[in-house]
Amino acid sequence: MDKSRILWRTFSTASTAVSKRNITTATQRPSWTCTNCLRRQQPTTTTRKPTTLLRPQTRSQSTQPGDDPAFTSIIDNPPQLIRSGRRHNKLGLAILAAIPITAFLLGCWQVQRLGWKTELIARFEDRLLKDPLPLPPQIDPAAVKDFDYRRVLARGVWRHDQEMLIGPRVHDGQPGYQVVTPLERRGEFPGNEGNSTVLVSRGWIPKTKAAQALRPEGLPRGVVTVEGLLREPWKKNMFTPDNKPAEGKFYFPDVYEMAAHVGSQPIWVEETMKADLLESYSREDKGVPIGRPPEVNLRNNHGQYIFTWFSLSAATSVMMWMVLRKPASGINRRVRQNKSW
């Protein structure tokens, strides 16, 4: 009996010790638990005053379309069938069709101009091959057109006191003037009172030699013989300023105005010289006018114009065909379109 009690007490004491050890172990911090986690789990008894950095912030009301209960997206809208490939406006088609037609007509016109310019240059070059023709005592200004680019000879005396400088004129990149001097033909035909004065374009001089005192070698005296080309008067364009004969300023070779200013016939002769580089340099240094070579200097760019206009006509015709070609038929002419959001 005593042994049973002793065993019971021993068992009770051991059970109580184990229970106390388990409770103590449960309250202790495990070795694998994070310190921050334990601090968050422990209730804080102290209250801190809110700082300006920790003030509660109120959210503004959202204005996104999805927050509206009545919002409908583009996916929710039913698509609408429309027909593509509609016909263009008649006015636009007329304008588009007029471009290749107009370009083709301009190309044909340039073909005619090319033939006319080629024939004109050939006629002038044929006149250059003929021997120089002495100028008659009196020249009809209306007949000059039939003798344009005709080589002529004239004898007379220079009227340097009536010299006119047309400019500015550029020669080989240098500014200068075109010297025009009346040639008084008295004495060329003795006993003939009908001798006249003509205007002779002697050539180009540099701007630094404009004053006659700087070019005494370019002012020959006595009777001289001039060989040059008889030229038809030019037509002035709207961009050239008007001449001022009273002030001695000339910007354009207006034959009739210049002839009236010096009292000569409205006949224009361009003095010619053989093209020689050394001779040109020598004349430039001495102030002697550099004459033009006896050749036709008409520009003939009509071949380029023909290519340009016909190319434009062909390109616009292809564009016209691409616009007017028949679109695909059937369901391919219908597309789905949804413009509402």
Side-chain angles (χ1 to χ4, degrees), residues 134-146:
L135 284 180
Q138 288 290 335
I139 304 172
D140 185 8
V144 175
K145 183 178 180 180
D146 298 331

Side-chain angles (χ1 to χ4, degrees), residues 92-98 100 315-325:
L93 289 177
I95 296 176
L96 186 60
T316 51
S317 298
V318 173
M319 295 173 60
M320 185 73 178
W321 173 79
M322 294 177 64
V323 171
L324 295 180
R325 65 178 179 176

